[in-house]
Amino acid sequence: QVQLVESGGGLVQSGGSLRLSCEVSGFTLDHYAAAWFRRAPGKEREGVSCVAVNEGNTHYADSVKGRFTISRDGAKNTMYLQMNNLKPEDTAVYYCAAVPPAMFSLCELLPQSYVYWGQGTQVTVSS
């Protein structure tokens, strides 16, 4: 059974850091393109960062570039999003997503490209 479970969200002050985790079961995450998305209250879902099957290929939204880092641990079948220098505008529910390589293997921040989704974890940044 395919399952993606996010954790690591919480309340943090502006300038602080959090590390989100996305623990995967049911498939080998290293073989899949994967991404982080977020949805702020009253806004559309936004792509944050993605990693291709070839992990050398990553991409970040301009709004988080230089502050967030995406990574994967094959041994733990887990993807991470290290978020530093957080800002109030980063407040959102964060979701991880993945897609089988037969469908898509590159890195892009379009939610329609991804098949499997987690339930989300709330990140709140206070000013």
Side-chain angles (χ1 to χ4, degrees):
Q1 180 182 359
V2 171
Q3 196 170 15
L4 288 74
V5 179
E6 301 95 335
S7 61
L11 173 64
V12 63
Q13 288 188 332
S14 182
S17 298
L18 285 173
R19 189 178 78 157
L20 304 184
S21 298
C22 174
E23 186 172 355
V24 170
S25 57
F27 63 89
T28 302
L29 181 60
D30 277 354
H31 298 169
Y32 283 53
W36 288 96
F37 291 83
R38 66 186 181 186
R39 187 190 296 256
K43 294 188 177 181
E44 295 291 319
R45 184 168 43 184
E46 174 191 20
V48 175
S49 181
C50 58
V51 55
V53 175
N54 173 8
E55 195 164 339
N57 184 10
T58 60
H59 181 66
Y60 297 90
D62 288 342
S63 58
V64 307
K65 203 171 292 184
R67 300 187 297 123
F68 291 11
T69 304
I70 192 170
S71 63
R72 291 192 286 206
D73 184 333
K76 296 182 178 180
N77 215 31
T78 299
M79 179 171 67
Y80 302 99
L81 185 68
Q82 178 67 43
M83 306 187 296
N84 298 329
N85 191 22
L86 282 160
K87 304 176 181 180
E89 51 264 43
D90 294 318
T91 295
V93 178
Y94 284 71
Y95 303 87
C96 62
V99 58
M103 297 180 64
F104 191 75
S105 62
L106 304 177
C107 173
E108 65 177 27
L109 295 178
L110 296 175
Q112 58 265 36
S113 296
Y114 296 88
V115 174
Y116 302 123
W117 291 82
Q119 83 291 345
T121 185
Q122 175 71 47
V123 171
T124 303
V125 184
S126 63
S127 56

